[in-house]
Amino acid sequence: MKTQRIIPFLFAALLLVFTSCDKDDEDKEPSRSDLLTTGLWTGSSVYIQGQDISQLLRDSANFDVRQLSTRFDKNGEYRETFGRTIVGTWEFVNNEQEILFDKGTNQAYTVKINKLNATELYYEQEIDGLPFEFRFSH
């Protein structure tokens, strides 16, 4: 009689072990597209050659990067807001190391991704011959 009571528990335990061993989905890293398109990116700082120039830009150019935000959609559209909203297209280029904005237009430009994870996006854009690194966070 005791054996009949134990068999259902053993079966349940074996079932639990075999179903919990398949962790492929849990261990899978999110794609760069998934990371980029998971919410609103808000500007946090601007760097040139390792120096944070955010305050300098606020004081001298009236540019507060904290007022800049961008949302990337999986359909290849982006919305950038800084006082007003600009809508355009984006796509990865160069083995997903760069983002090409507004391909095929006279406003097209490319940025180099320096860092992209679940909470941070850093990209570098050349402006007037200088490499500006814009840092964003969620």
Side-chain angles (χ1 to χ4, degrees):
M1 200 63 147
K2 290 182 183 181
T3 309
Q4 288 178 340
R5 288 185 182 170
I6 295 174
I7 290 175
F9 291 113
L10 288 174
F11 180 72
L14 285 173
L15 185 63
L16 182 63
V17 167
F18 285 118
T19 57
S20 64
C21 286
D22 188 14
K23 294 187 177 186
D24 289 343
D25 291 339
E26 294 172 19
D27 294 339
K28 192 168 114 176
E29 299 259 338
S31 70
R32 288 176 75 78
S33 181
D34 289 340
L35 290 170
L36 191 64
T37 59
T38 57
L40 185 67
W41 293 100
T42 303
S44 57
S45 56
V46 181
Y47 280 72
I48 291 181
Q49 298 173 337
Q51 297 292 321
D52 185 348
I53 62 163
S54 305
Q55 186 65 47
L56 176 66
L57 290 174
R58 282 192 291 275
D59 295 343
S60 64
N62 199 28
F63 176 79
D64 188 351
V65 71
R66 299 171 299 182
Q67 303 301 311
L68 175 63
S69 64
T70 306
R71 178 179 303 278
F72 296 89
D73 294 329
K74 287 191 181 276
N75 67 0
E77 187 174 270
Y78 75 89
R79 285 179 172 67
E80 182 176 87
T81 302
F82 186 76
R84 65 184 180 105
T85 300
I86 297 170
V87 178
T89 61
W90 73 272
E91 65 183 70
F92 283 120
V93 294
N94 195 15
N95 291 326
E96 297 187 348
Q97 299 304 307
E98 297 177 340
I99 301 170
L100 172 59
F101 290 92
D102 303 319
K103 179 180 180 179
T105 71
N106 58 353
Q107 282 87 28
Y109 66 99
T110 302
V111 299
K112 176 185 168 200
I113 300 170
N114 292 341
K115 183 176 189 177
L116 175 59
N117 61 36
T119 60
E120 297 173 303
L121 166 64
Y122 298 178
Y123 68 65
E124 191 173 298
Q125 180 180 3
E126 191 169 306
I127 302 173
D128 294 331
L130 294 172
F132 283 76
E133 182 178 73
F134 292 85
R135 296 184 177 188
F136 295 84
S137 61
H138 277 300

